[in-house]
Amino acid sequence: YAPDLPSLVCDFKRLQQPFLNIFWNAIEAMPKGGLLRVSSEVDDKRQLISIDISDTGTGISEEDMESIFEPFFSSKTDGKGVGLGLSVAYGIIRQHYGQIFVRSEVGKGTQFTIQLPAGGLPSSNVEVWWLKPSVPSDEEEALAPKGSETPGK
């Protein structure tokens, strides 16, 4: 982990959930074992704490990448997944004014990067934008200002 991590103002019980969901998905993506790495770093210039969670599992297909943050989406065919884990993770991270990114390669693994504001929430004069997890249709924008819609919906 990064030395001298700054404080993070958060609801730590709620913020545990995204990490547990991502860890669980990583474990399930490595049925024969593998490597799960967690690392952190601080971007002092942008005042962000970044947490990387990577695995050496099966990876996520390009087709599935477009839907992984949508409620009830699951790529699990054996009935194990309800499809709420990453949707819930996305919502909680956005409620903490953070962002979540994912990179994946089928057969090689997946990396999630969670970025959260160091020290606390942005000041009241900062406009916060929610990034919709789904691909926008012709009628809607990819970004919507906070309050115009609930994250993850």
Side-chain angles (χ1 to χ4, degrees):
Y1 64 92
D4 303 320
L5 281 173
S7 296
L8 176 65
V9 177
C10 66
D11 179 341
F12 76 94
K13 288 189 179 203
R14 282 186 52 85
L15 201 53
Q16 289 175 13
Q17 194 63 53
F19 292 97
L20 292 174
N21 292 353
I22 294 168
F23 294 158
W24 190 251
N25 283 352
I27 290 165
E28 288 184 337
M30 301 184 292
K32 295 181 182 177
L35 187 60
L36 176 62
R37 288 189 181 113
V38 179
S39 62
S40 62
E41 66 181 20
V42 178
D43 182 339
D44 289 322
K45 186 177 180 181
R46 296 182 351 182
Q47 297 184 329
L48 290 174
I49 299 171
S50 291
I51 303 102
D52 289 325
I53 305 164
S54 61
D55 66 60
T56 56
T58 56
I60 304 168
S61 72
E62 244 182 84
E63 181 181 324
D64 287 347
M65 287 285 277
E66 296 178 12
S67 304
I68 62 170
F69 294 112
E70 291 180 11
F72 304 108
F73 174 80
S74 178
S75 62
K76 298 171 187 163
T77 57
D78 54 9
K80 282 187 179 178
V82 176
L84 290 175
L86 291 177
S87 174
V88 167
Y90 176 87
I92 292 170
I93 290 164
R94 295 302 295 163
Q95 288 168 354
H96 284 84
Y97 300 96
Q99 298 181 74
I100 183 169
F101 305 95
V102 60
R103 282 178 250 141
S104 189
E105 190 173 339
V106 174
K108 295 200 175 183
T110 302
Q111 177 181 349
F112 284 89
T113 300
I114 297 170
Q115 294 181 334
L116 296 164
L121 302 177
S123 65
S124 59
N125 64 349
V126 173
E127 188 169 10
V128 178
W129 293 77
W130 298 116
L131 178 62
K132 292 183 182 180
S134 60
V135 178
S137 68
D138 292 331
E139 298 88 27
E140 59 187 2
E141 299 283 328
L143 296 172
K146 180 185 175 197
S148 69
E149 110 168 21
T150 306
K153 288 193 179 181

